[in-house]
Amino acid sequence: MIHFTFKKSALILIALCFWCFRAAAQDNEQVIVKTENPGGWIIKTKSSVYQIIITADGKVKPGYYGAKGQATYLKKNAAWYEGLDEVPVRGGRTAKTPMLEVVFNDNVRDADLVYVKGEVIIVKGRSTLQITQKDKFYPLEITSYIRVLPEFDVLEKWAIVKNTGKKGSIRVENLQSGSIVLPADDYMLTHLSGRDLTEFQLQHTELTPGLKIIDNKGFKANHNPPWFQVRPKSAKDTKTGPTWFGSLHYSGNWDLIFDKTFDGPVQVVGGMNFWDTNWDLQPGTTLETPKLTVGFTDKGPEQASRNLAAYIRKDVLLAAHREDLRPVIYNSWEAAYYSVNEQQQIDLAKIASEIGIETFTIDDGWFKGRTDGRSQSGLGNWEVDRNKFPNGLAPVIKQVHDLGMKFGLWVEPENVNPNSDVVQAHPDWIFQFPNREGNKFRQILNFANEEVYQHMLKALTKLLSENDIDFIKWDQNNALTEPGWSTAPANIQREVRIRHISNVYRLVDELRKRFPKVLFESCSSGGGRVDLGMLSRMDQAWVSDNTDPIDRLYIQYGFLNALPANVMVSWVTNTTRHQPISLDYRFDVSMSGVLGIGNDIRKWSPAEKLIAKNKIDLYKKIRPIVQQGILYPLVSPFEHNRCALQYNTEDGKSAVLFCYNMAVYLKGSQETDRGTTILKLEGLSPDKQYLVKKANDSTDKGTVYQGEFLMSVGIAWPVKNAFESQIMLIDQVK
Ligand code: DGJ
């Protein structure tokens, strides 16, 4: 047995502290370097530099952001940064989009910042540049942060504004998370847009002089998450060239602003959308923005997406479950809709366990008074409906657990129906304006109100303590109308949107602390809440209520540009909007993310159940590569009537390739019909041998190819007919 004396342990502790300090100091030296002449810092990631310059008159300027090795970033007094600040404000000769707009209590609306101090601190284990500036006259201080994650080529930016005065508030009319400036050039912007059932559609647009704003006022992250990529218009393909990218960590109203002058650089600003919002900053108090992650790679947009996905998987997702493989889920929504009951759920659970499901989930409809989506009661009553489940949820949960599965439950904590117990008892807890009709069916509880927060914490704590729940699907199916807060004083009325989201976050965070084993899924009328704010506290996301496999290929391809596959939940259902599509194909589409089933599996024939079982078995084998691997999006459905996704292990020793034909008449169909369309693989070791085998064909013994051959010559497109798919398994043999 090892026996430590106090002295020994103290010595070890000192040595450890010294080592940590040295490690941190070395890290600081590498990624954030102080510069003289011009004074400031250079922040280095794997392939980018970000330069900050402090001018002689105390202005903090963004010097250069782009490829390492470009000499321009060291250029002193470069003319193009002169009109720009690291934290641009409303005030003086405003040339660009401000991050900060304030009104002082004598009605002065100009801010004038001067540098106070800058230092490198450690935030969550990472070197972080902290720069403090203050107004030259008024008691206003702003601290901006840049946390550096060099291996992903990303920087996290955020800011905290403080009223340092003793009396009198400062009205904050706008406070954005961060601003970056791209060197002067002509650029193309890629972003996502969509609505429920058509989420994550890729958009490409030229940034011409003027403003391009993508934003959201619907009070949830919305179906176009706050993500972007910008690259020079001259770029030849998506595999090379400079690309700036970013994603905002926020689930309320947001904006991303792209501001291009006629001959100058492009400024990108992002943060909370202050539309219908301002903040009364009281003496001694602060207001903090959400994080805006920005990045740069010189290897093109596909690499930018890989960097972002790796960063999300390894640094953004909640640490406790970050590494866990996501379970294969069954969800009863499309089998039962609101008409759930004990026997039906038990019947479904038995079949689910036979085919290999790991988590069985009851969706909407299980709670008191919930009859359908248009009913006026139900939402808000987080107690089981005794008509549907006379013995409570316990018998179903026990059965699910006895069958060896985890148990999941749907909730929608932020919304209520007008006749729910909670609204009847506290009519002033919902968002409303007098003399306005409001939504008659579904209203939003005002979480900005501390009483509402406490009530919901109690209700959900009770639900999770009294029932042995392993998984929560957290939905939000409403856009905010009439955002009035009847019991609040006038000066904080317009803070309500920020306060609401902040308490939604606080509630999720508290529940995760109280129930650490429970996995959480974010949902909002399909994929309406897949921003990094929610995904830093929830483990995965429902992507779309459109479960048609062909539509889904577009939706998922768009999603994977911005987010990793281990948060992309995809159910196999019966929905085929275009024409009947085989169960094999439907599985193959869902297996490229987090596999689930949302069908009435009681209606499946023995043959269909066997397909499902085999597919789930295969999925469990390839799941580590799909969920935690590196994605190469080989063929885009937005450009071809085919789609191919290749996932590699980090060491490039194994890969899984999904190939889908999407139409009868394929683009380049003559070639495809002759079976000669070639698919070049990526990310393998050129000098190693790989066995390439069709997973959907048990007779295929596979063929061995050299890695270099697979990447430079390629394999024949492995699918012949329309609406057929193939999963290829690729493993290094030597
Ligand atoms: C919207 C979600 O996207 C669906 O999956 C389902 O959970 C319903 N809400 C339930 O009301």
Side-chain angles (χ1 to χ4, degrees):
M1 202 169 108
I2 304 171
H3 207 80
F4 283 115
T5 61
F6 171 74
K7 259 193 187 163
K8 261 191 206 157
S9 338
L11 274 175
I12 288 171
L13 200 71
I14 291 167
L16 256 173
C17 288
F18 179 71
W19 181 81
C20 288
F21 176 78
R22 255 196 60 204
Q26 276 172 356
D27 184 29
N28 297 352
E29 276 160 26
Q30 282 161 14
V31 299
I32 304 178
V33 181
K34 184 113 187 59
T35 60
E36 307 293 336
N37 191 25
W41 292 268
I42 287 181
I43 299 170
K44 297 179 187 170
T45 69
K46 212 169 52 182
S47 46
S48 77
V49 283
Y50 188 104
Q51 185 193 18
I52 290 187
I53 296 166
I54 314 288
T55 62
D57 58 347
K59 291 286 168 197
V60 184
K61 302 279 183 185
Y64 170 81
Y65 185 28
K68 238 182 194 169
Q70 287 245 9
T72 37
Y73 72 86
L74 288 174
K75 216 164 66 196
K76 291 173 213 164
N77 305 320
W80 57 264
Y81 67 73
E82 275 173 1
L84 304 165
D85 291 309
E86 173 64 11
V87 178
V89 297
R90 178 175 66 198
R93 250 188 70 198
T94 309
K96 284 281 165 188
T97 296
M99 263 179 71
L100 176 70
E101 293 170 83
V102 289
V103 184
F104 298 106
N105 62 6
D106 60 0
N107 287 322
V108 167
R109 302 191 302 278
D110 263 29
D112 189 358
L113 299 183
V114 64
Y115 173 71
V116 177
K117 62 175 178 179
E119 55 191 318
V120 178
I121 58 170
I122 302 294
V123 176
K124 289 194 187 154
R126 300 291 187 153
S127 296
T128 304
L129 180 59
Q130 174 185 264
I131 297 177
T132 305
Q133 300 180 73
K134 66 172 189 187
D135 188 89
K136 280 184 181 161
F137 182 84
Y138 292 96
L140 174 81
E141 184 181 276
I142 182 157
T143 308
S144 55
Y145 294 84
I146 305 179
R147 181 169 176 255
V148 189
L149 296 104
E151 71 273 39
F152 309 114
D153 272 329
V154 303
L155 311 173
E156 290 176 346
K157 287 193 142 200
W158 72 98
I160 300 176
V161 68
K162 183 172 186 184
N163 179 344
T164 53
K166 297 254 178 310
K167 59 179 175 37
S169 64
I170 298 170
R171 191 160 77 236
V172 179
E173 294 190 327
N174 181 21
L175 176 62
Q176 297 293 296
S177 300
S179 158
I180 56 169
V181 184
L182 281 46
D185 201 346
D186 291 330
Y187 289 103
M188 293 296 293
L189 165 70
T190 299
H191 65 101
L192 292 163
S193 183
R195 56 167 170 76
D196 53 333
L197 304 176
T198 319
E199 291 89 340
F200 315 120
Q201 301 299 299
L202 280 169
Q203 312 292 319
H204 306 283
T205 183
E206 186 177 345
L207 291 173
T208 53
L211 288 183
K212 166 80 183 175
I213 299 176
I214 46 175
D215 74 344
N216 167 49
K217 301 186 183 73
F219 201 47
K220 45 186 183 179
N222 224 354
H223 298 89
N224 46 334
W227 166 87
F228 70 90
Q229 285 180 343
V230 176
R231 61 184 173 130
K233 202 178 148 191
S234 56
K236 297 272 177 303
D237 59 43
T238 51
K239 297 186 196 301
T240 52
T243 307
W244 290 259
F245 57 97
S247 200
L248 180 71
H249 302 228
Y250 197 56
S251 315
N253 291 348
W254 56 266
D255 54 39
L256 286 172
I257 304 165
F258 303 84
D259 184 346
K260 179 164 171 64
T261 51
F262 175 67
D263 52 2
V266 168
Q267 183 199 13
V268 183
V269 179
M272 294 188 288
N273 186 346
F274 269 71
W275 169 78
D276 188 34
T277 293
N278 54 43
W279 193 273
D280 206 27
L281 194 64
Q282 297 296 323
T285 66
T286 57
L287 176 64
E288 180 167 352
T289 71
K291 285 184 200 164
L292 172 68
T293 295
V294 293
F296 171 84
T297 175
D298 49 7
K299 298 192 177 59
E302 290 180 19
Q303 186 57 42
S305 293
R306 281 191 281 276
N307 283 6
L308 199 58
Y311 152 74
I312 294 166
R313 275 202 323 259
K314 294 177 183 179
D315 200 77
V316 175
L317 291 174
L318 205 70
H321 296 286
R322 201 177 277 166
E323 313 258 300
D324 299 350
L325 290 173
R326 289 359 185 197
V328 182
I329 290 176
Y330 177 80
N331 181 296
S332 70
W333 176 239
E334 291 197 21
Y337 292 104
Y338 302 93
S339 306
V340 288
N341 66 58
E342 182 179 308
Q343 193 51 53
Q344 163 214 60
Q345 293 296 309
I346 288 177
D347 292 345
L348 287 165
K350 284 181 182 154
I351 304 167
S353 94
E354 279 164 30
I355 58 176
I357 294 290
E358 294 165 315
T359 297
F360 180 88
T361 308
I362 303 184
D363 207 277
D364 200 344
W366 60 268
F367 44 94
K368 204 175 88 187
R370 181 68 156 173
T371 49
D372 58 65
R374 301 296 281 173
S375 70
Q376 300 210 335
S377 64
L379 273 183
N381 301 335
W382 299 113
E383 290 155 35
V384 68
D385 186 333
R386 292 276 165 179
N387 296 321
K388 295 173 180 171
F389 297 90
N391 311 302
L393 291 172
V396 184
I397 297 179
K398 182 171 181 325
Q399 181 72 255
V400 166
H401 284 157
D402 288 351
L403 288 164
M405 296 181 291
K406 306 263 188 207
F407 177 78
L409 196 65
W410 178 96
V411 292
E412 189 177 357
E414 293 146 81
N415 288 330
V416 283
N417 292 133
N419 294 337
S420 59
D421 297 349
V422 60
V423 179
Q424 292 296 306
H426 306 280
D428 58 333
W429 279 9
I430 56 166
F431 282 112
Q432 58 192 327
F433 277 139
N435 312 315
R436 294 286 172 253
E437 252 183 31
N439 186 330
K440 290 268 168 298
F441 298 101
R442 199 190 292 252
Q443 299 150 338
I444 302 189
L445 275 178
N446 177 1
F447 273 57
N449 180 340
E450 182 64 18
E451 287 180 317
V452 171
Y453 167 81
Q454 292 298 343
H455 162 82
M456 199 45 75
L457 177 62
K458 205 164 145 202
L460 293 176
T461 299
K462 184 166 182 284
L463 179 70
L464 283 155
S465 322
E466 289 177 357
N467 299 284
D468 193 0
I469 294 170
D470 310 285
F471 172 77
I472 284 286
K473 176 179 172 186
W474 184 300
D475 207 345
Q476 204 293 68
N477 291 294
N478 216 347
L480 181 61
T481 54
E482 297 86 23
W485 180 359
S486 53
T487 53
N491 66 321
I492 66 167
Q493 285 284 332
R494 281 186 159 203
E495 296 177 6
V496 73
R497 294 169 194 269
I498 296 178
R499 286 177 183 270
H500 175 91
I501 293 295
S502 151
N503 265 351
V504 170
Y505 284 168
R506 183 174 155 216
L507 179 61
V508 179
D509 293 346
E510 185 56 35
L511 290 170
R512 301 226 58 171
K513 240 188 263 159
R514 292 185 183 187
F515 304 96
K517 75 157 196 190
V518 179
L519 279 191
F520 278 66
E521 178 173 297
S522 175
C523 172
S524 180
S525 308
R529 225 187 218 173
V530 299
D531 61 279
L532 300 189
M534 214 32 110
L535 285 171
S536 60
R537 33 184 63 82
M538 297 218 183
D539 309 291
Q540 57 191 41
W542 177 229
V543 169
S544 178
D545 282 338
N546 184 346
T547 51
D548 169 84
I550 299 296
D551 292 355
R552 210 51 203 223
L553 285 174
Y554 292 93
I555 292 169
Q556 295 185 176
Y557 193 92
F559 183 100
L560 290 168
N561 271 262
L563 293 149
N566 71 334
V567 302
M568 184 178 82
V569 180
S570 184
W571 304 338
V572 175
T573 72
N574 254 1
T575 309
T576 52
R577 281 156 39 111
H578 303 283
Q579 68 167 68
I581 288 182
S582 72
L583 189 56
D584 284 277
Y585 192 102
R586 284 179 269 150
F587 264 99
D588 290 355
V589 171
S590 293
M591 285 161 73
S592 66
V594 177
L595 175 64
I597 295 182
N599 223 38
D600 190 347
I601 46 181
R602 291 170 304 178
K603 298 191 180 134
W604 277 3
S605 66
E608 286 173 315
K609 285 185 206 159
L610 185 63
I611 292 176
K613 188 173 175 341
N614 290 338
K615 288 287 183 186
I616 292 174
D617 282 350
L618 172 64
Y619 180 71
K620 287 177 184 167
K621 289 189 193 115
I622 61 174
R623 165 168 60 180
I625 307 184
V626 174
Q627 292 190 8
Q628 296 172 340
I630 301 171
L631 172 63
Y632 293 85
L634 300 186
V635 182
S636 164
F638 290 94
E639 289 165 25
H640 305 270
N641 287 335
R642 300 181 282 134
C643 176
L645 301 169
Q646 181 193 341
Y647 292 91
N648 289 13
T649 52
E650 282 191 6
D651 59 11
K653 286 188 177 164
S654 295
V656 178
L657 172 65
F658 295 89
C659 298
Y660 311 96
N661 272 353
M662 299 169 66
V664 179
Y665 300 107
L666 305 170
K667 275 187 191 150
S669 56
Q670 302 91 322
E671 272 184 308
T672 309
D673 289 345
R674 292 202 306 271
T676 55
T677 295
I678 292 302
L679 190 63
K680 289 181 187 168
L681 305 190
E682 292 185 41
L684 305 174
S685 302
D687 52 344
K688 301 284 180 198
Q689 305 274 307
Y690 290 87
L691 177 69
V692 180
K693 209 168 137 188
K694 291 179 178 158
N696 294 356
D697 177 356
S698 55
T699 62
D700 184 23
K701 296 278 170 284
T703 311
V704 173
Y705 298 93
Q706 178 92 4
E708 183 167 9
F709 179 90
L710 290 171
M711 293 191 290
S712 58
V713 179
I715 56 167
W717 179 251
V719 195
K720 186 152 190 342
N721 300 314
F723 304 111
E724 272 181 14
S725 54
Q726 184 59 260
I727 299 176
M728 310 289 290
L729 307 178
I730 298 150
D731 287 292
Q732 214 179 85
V733 283
K734 287 193 242 156

